[in-house]
Amino acid sequence: QVQLVESGGGLVQAGGSLRLSCAASGRTFSTYAVGWFRQAPGKQRELVAGITSAESTNYADSVKGRFTISRDNAKNTVILQMNSLKPEDTAVYYCAAAISLPINARNNPRYYEYWGQGTQVTVSS
């Protein structure tokens, strides 16, 4: 069983930066794949960035070059560093963990068993 808690959201002007943190409980967290998803009002939940237990990463095209995902297994934490933020990045951001994640299912939220409560990110123009 894994519990996830996100933090670091807030209000920022366009062009600014935020650092989201996902803190996890559980001694085997290092073996999980982790994804950061976001959901804007009226839109589907989408994967923003993911990282496997082997620290392979993937990103949505819309955030490549601006967002960076990393993990610190000693601290049971996954970080999403968001730079050059745009108003269209406004959404609730969720951290999710998957025990077993096929490579072609990285973007599919149904494959993630554990979810945090979400943190709001608002980017003003």
Side-chain angles (χ1 to χ4, degrees):
Q1 190 78 2
V2 173
Q3 292 184 324
L4 305 173
V5 179
E6 303 99 334
S7 61
L11 173 64
V12 64
Q13 288 188 332
S17 298
L18 283 174
R19 181 181 171 93
L20 302 185
S21 179
C22 174
S25 64
R27 292 177 292 176
T28 60
F29 181 65
S30 62
T31 65
Y32 288 70
V34 177
W36 279 100
F37 289 79
R38 68 186 179 189
Q39 188 165 19
K43 295 188 176 181
Q44 288 188 333
R45 192 168 295 190
E46 63 172 353
L47 180 75
V48 174
I51 187 165
T52 68
S53 58
E55 302 197 20
S56 172
T57 59
N58 63 299
Y59 297 91
D61 288 343
S62 59
V63 307
K64 282 181 181 177
R66 300 189 296 123
F67 290 11
T68 302
I69 189 171
S70 61
R71 68 191 302 163
D72 184 339
N73 291 327
K75 296 181 179 179
N76 273 8
T77 301
V78 173
I79 300 294
L80 183 68
Q81 178 66 43
M82 305 188 296
N83 299 327
S84 302
L85 283 160
K86 303 176 181 180
E88 51 263 44
D89 294 319
T90 295
V92 178
Y93 283 69
Y94 298 91
C95 174
I99 299 172
S100 177
L101 186 64
I103 193 168
N104 61 353
R106 283 183 168 185
N107 297 346
N108 191 334
R110 291 183 297 176
Y111 282 83
Y112 292 78
E113 292 92 348
Y114 304 103
W115 290 82
Q117 81 287 352
T119 185
Q120 176 70 46
V121 171
T122 303
V123 184
S124 63
S125 57

